[in-house]
Amino acid sequence: MGKIISRKELADLIGKSERWVSKLIEDGLPVAGGGGKGNPLQIDSEQAIDWLIARAAHDASDDEDDEEGAPGSAKSEDRLLKRARREKLQIEIDAARGRLVPIEAVISLATSIAAVYATQLDSLPSRCASDLAVLDDPAQIRARLFEETRRVRAATAERLEQRAQAFATQIDGFDSPPSGDGGCATAEGE
């Protein structure tokens, strides 16, 4: 137990007014007794100093939480709001520069790629069946299949280049797939 002091003595000790000490008492500063009518308030100096130190440490940790961006703190919310504004601005810039593509356009292009490749693969057996039926040498069979897969790759690449050109014009005003094959490729004429 420390020295018992009055409200005025504590105020002088910490360099604040008696009114400030009264507010600290309302906030929970421990008192040793007194305070009734005609009785001066008694404060244990050791308990008061310990309480002031604990309060200062708690206030400092609250400030650190705000600085570090603890969830729900004002600084954290401000930082999240600023980040969202930056992201929105970046999206607007990318949209203005044509860097963003509508998801419908991407789906259309992916479907077109799959259709072109699938039709090329579907035509592979009919194109090779008669040639492979007369071959006995595995090396010749392999060479024929390799030749046909190269043709599939070349035809697919050519078709995709055409779709890419159509896609570039489609992005500006995406309403529907370009006219012609409706996004599907056929095996004939490729």
Side-chain angles (χ1 to χ4, degrees), residues 103-160:
I103 189 67
E104 294 86 10
V106 173
I107 291 169
S108 174
L109 182 63
T111 302
S112 176
I113 291 169
V116 167
Y117 192 66
T119 37
Q120 291 294 320
L121 288 180
D122 288 346
S123 67
L124 186 68
S126 62
R127 291 181 197 260
C128 297
S130 61
D131 291 344
L132 296 177
V134 296
L135 296 177
D136 289 335
D137 184 15
Q140 288 177 336
I141 294 172
R142 182 180 179 281
R144 176 64 183 113
L145 288 174
F146 191 63
E147 176 185 320
E148 189 59 26
T149 56
R150 280 189 178 166
R151 192 207 58 75
V152 167
R153 282 190 301 223
T156 303
E158 179 184 331
R159 189 76 176 121
L160 291 178

Side-chain angles (χ1 to χ4, degrees), residues 56-78:
H58 181 267
D59 290 347
S61 71
D62 284 348
D63 290 344
E64 286 175 8
D65 286 346
D66 283 347
E67 289 172 10
E68 293 173 7
S73 70
K75 287 187 179 187
S76 173
E77 296 298 322
D78 286 343

